[in-house]
């Protein structure tokens, strides 16, 4: 359960999200081009088949390794969507479409934020939602969405087949765990005055109220509406001693705690441009990672059509971060290099934008940035390999988690993914 927000001062519009999931759940960076399909065909989502449309638009998304759909993404029309899991009275174990499926379907079929909301709600009326949404345990959740384009932003909350929609003005944020639209909606499917009060089941473990208030407060400061500001929000922590050892599910940059999840990938997009820069970590812990620039359809960088290659990219950075958590890698030295590299990327992107934003120059810059980040991570190859093969022992919970990472990450059944047994092993 994580956080999604839109930061704007009326001129620039930044869409951003942290995906917080199981720490062993890989986040894959994938791109799908525009495709034509035969009329009358069907497509297989995570659990069920539904009718296919004749044209699906090009899009980029960040997805859990085992789901058909994704946690966040943007399509060729500049429609950006983030989804959050919410605890409701309607959540169902009956397999159907899940939040990640709806997100991908909207990216594939919508040319505007408003149309994306319609895509989701029309399908929701037919299929509802249901099925396990967790990587290494069993959890049933409904979904809420933040949907934005260059001009509009919508908050869409769902419970079973019911939904509420609000056209948001200015900066706005949503947090996983709880519904938030009570009487503030512009349209609802069920004719109820109090959508949240009727459908929500409170979840205190997720600390959603704390995170939502934290992000909302940070969004109020409009003196600096920039990439740096967005990255700072996504990377923010509470003042907790021994953060890597104890973890914190109440932070925006979530670190694994005994009852919480972990931020497994982060994305930020400047929707002000027709050809937006997509900044993405492709790694857990944005506080330790570089946001790298990507442009839709760019080949030769860190976004892949092949799931196995995308998995390898994420795993390498995950082992690196676990080395930092366990004190095997100097955190201060690492972060100093990350900060310098990040500023270099931001300065170069601004220089190109200010000189006219030539498409080829932007894409050459992104390829060069991808190469530099890969070279930086490559300097840790020896220690990454030792952690992967358990030649170096990690500390605390990471020692146990590391024994189960990369065990059938594409399997639909959590028992097949082995990580299901981590909790039982910890009890022994």
């Amino acid at each position: 359960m994580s956080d999604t927000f839109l930061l704007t001062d009326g001129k620039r519009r930044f869409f951003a999200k942290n995906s917080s999931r199981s720490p062993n759940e890989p986040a894959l960076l994938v791109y799908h081009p525009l495709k034509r399909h035969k009329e009358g065909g069907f497509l297989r989502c995570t659990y069920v088949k539904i009718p296919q449309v004749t044209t699906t638009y090009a899009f980029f998304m960040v997805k859990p390794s085992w789901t058909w759909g994704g946690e966040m993404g943007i399509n060729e029309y500049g429609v950006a969507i983030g989804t959050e899991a919410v605890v409701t009275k309607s959540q169902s174990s009956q397999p159907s479409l899940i939040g990640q499926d709806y997100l991908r379907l909207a990216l594939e079929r919508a040319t505007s934020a408003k149309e994306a909301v319609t895509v989701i709600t029309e399908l929701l009326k037919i299929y509802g939602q249901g099925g396990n949404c967790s990587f290494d345990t069993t959890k049933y959740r409904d979904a809420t969405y933040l949907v934005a384009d260059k001009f509009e932003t919508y908050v869409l909350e769902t419970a079973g087949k019911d939904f509420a929609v609000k056209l948001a003005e200015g900066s706005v944020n949503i947090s996983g765990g709880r519904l938030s639209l009570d009487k503030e909606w512009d349209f609802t499917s069920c004719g109820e005055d109090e959508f949240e009060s009727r459908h929500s089941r409170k979840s205190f473990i997720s600390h959603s109220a704390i995170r939502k208030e934290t992000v909302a407060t940070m969004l109020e400061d409009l003196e600096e509406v920039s990439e740096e500001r967005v990255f700072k929000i996504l990377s923010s922590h509470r003042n907790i001693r021994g953060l890597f050892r104890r973890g914190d599910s109440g932070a925006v940059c979530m670190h694994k705690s005994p009852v919480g999840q972990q931020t497994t990938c982060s994305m930020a997009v400047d929707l002000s441009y027709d050809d937006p820069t997509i900044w993405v970590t492709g790694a857990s812990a944005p506080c330790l990672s570089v946001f790298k620039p990507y442009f839709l359809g760019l080949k030769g960088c860190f976004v892949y059509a092949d799931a196995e290659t995308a998995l390898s990219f994420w795993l390498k950075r995950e082992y690196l971060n676990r080395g930092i958590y366990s004190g095997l890698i100097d955190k201060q030295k690492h972060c100093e290099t990350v900060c310098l590299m990040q500023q270099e990327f931001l300065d170069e992107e601004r220089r190109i934008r200010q000189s006219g934003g030539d498409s080829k120059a932007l894409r050459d810059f992104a390829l060069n940035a991808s190469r530099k980040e890969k070279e930086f991570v490559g300097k840790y190859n020896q220690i990454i390999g030792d952690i992967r093969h358990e030649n170096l022992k990690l500390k605390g919970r990471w020692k146990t988690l590391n024994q189960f990472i990369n065990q059938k990450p594409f399997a639909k059944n959590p028992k097949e993914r082995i990580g299901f047994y981590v909790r039982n092993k910890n009890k022994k």
Side-chain angles (χ1 to χ4, degrees), residues 354-424:
Q354 290 169 2
S355 64
D358 177 73
S359 178
K360 183 178 184 305
L362 286 169
R363 282 156 176 75
D364 287 345
F365 149 68
L367 290 172
N368 187 49
S370 176
R371 177 184 58 79
K372 286 186 176 181
E373 191 267 355
K374 287 181 180 179
E375 289 177 353
F376 167 61
V377 173
K379 294 178 180 179
Y380 294 99
N381 277 345
Q382 181 63 52
I383 196 167
I384 288 171
D386 287 341
I387 293 171
R388 178 176 183 177
H389 297 295
E390 299 186 61
N391 296 327
L392 287 174
K393 299 300 182 184
L394 301 181
K395 294 181 179 179
R397 65 178 62 93
W398 296 107
K399 179 180 178 180
T400 302
L401 285 166
N402 220 45
Q403 296 173 3
F404 292 91
I405 195 170
N406 198 26
Q407 299 294 321
K408 298 186 178 180
F410 303 111
K412 296 292 185 293
N413 188 324
K415 290 185 178 181
E416 291 183 52
R417 293 193 291 264
I418 306 297
F420 176 84
Y421 300 106
V422 169
R423 184 173 299 173
N424 293 329

Side-chain angles (χ1 to χ4, degrees), residues 156-317:
L156 167 60
E157 298 196 332
T158 71
K161 290 187 176 183
D162 287 329
F163 60 88
V165 183
K166 179 178 177 58
L167 175 61
E169 300 292 335
S171 300
V172 64
N173 66 296
I174 61 174
S175 293
R178 58 193 293 147
L179 299 169
S180 60
L181 293 180
D182 208 17
K183 297 182 179 180
E184 302 85 1
W185 46 262
D186 295 318
F187 178 78
T188 180
S189 64
C190 53
E192 296 291 339
D193 289 336
E194 299 178 348
F195 185 81
E196 185 271 340
S197 299
R198 179 180 176 84
H199 292 288
S200 188
R201 281 200 302 116
K202 302 299 182 185
S203 173
F204 299 101
I205 292 179
S206 70
H207 292 99
S208 56
I210 295 172
R211 297 195 322 276
K212 191 173 192 304
E213 182 178 353
T214 298
V215 175
T217 300
M218 289 190 283
L219 292 178
E220 291 175 358
D221 181 8
L222 297 180
E223 291 186 7
E224 182 189 6
V225 178
S226 65
E227 289 87 352
E228 285 92 341
R229 179 70 176 163
V230 173
F231 296 169
K232 183 177 180 180
I233 295 173
L234 292 173
S235 303
S236 62
H237 302 129
R238 297 191 295 176
N239 187 21
I240 290 184
R241 296 178 61 184
L243 176 64
F244 294 159
R245 176 176 55 83
R246 298 175 60 184
D248 184 15
S249 60
V252 181
C253 177
M254 198 179 294
H255 290 272
K256 174 62 180 172
S257 67
V259 296
Q261 298 177 323
Q262 171 154 304
T263 298
T264 57
C265 191
S266 305
M267 183 186 85
V269 184
D270 186 350
L271 296 174
S272 311
Y273 299 103
D274 292 330
D275 186 16
T277 306
I278 304 165
W279 298 94
V280 63
T281 58
S284 65
C287 62
L288 301 175
S289 305
V290 181
F291 284 84
K292 298 167 284 296
Y294 170 72
F295 295 91
L296 206 65
L298 181 65
K299 297 179 179 180
C301 58
F302 50 85
V303 176
Y304 304 96
D306 170 51
E308 289 287 352
T309 308
L311 172 63
S312 178
F313 182 91
W314 184 86
L315 282 172
K316 193 169 187 178
R317 284 146 188 80

Side-chain angles (χ1 to χ4, degrees), residues 1-4 15 17 70-72 81-88 98-100 102-103 117 120 124 129 133 141-147 154-160 162-166 172-181 195-196 200 208 211-212:
M1 295 184 179
S2 45
D3 300 273
T4 308
F15 177 94
K17 173 175 167 59
E71 284 273 293
M72 49 192 165
I81 311 176
T83 183
E84 303 290 349
V86 287
V87 180
T88 78
I98 58 175
Q100 289 84 359
Y102 280 111
L103 180 142
V117 170
I120 294 172
L124 192 72
Q129 49 196 320
C133 297
R141 297 289 185 263
D142 287 340
T144 184
Y145 308 85
L146 190 64
V147 187
Y154 291 88
V155 176
L156 167 60
E157 298 196 332
T158 71
D162 287 329
F163 60 88
V165 183
K166 179 178 177 58
V172 64
N173 66 296
I174 61 174
S175 293
R178 58 193 293 147
L179 299 169
S180 60
L181 293 180
F195 185 81
E196 185 271 340
S200 188
S208 56
R211 297 195 322 276
K212 191 173 192 304

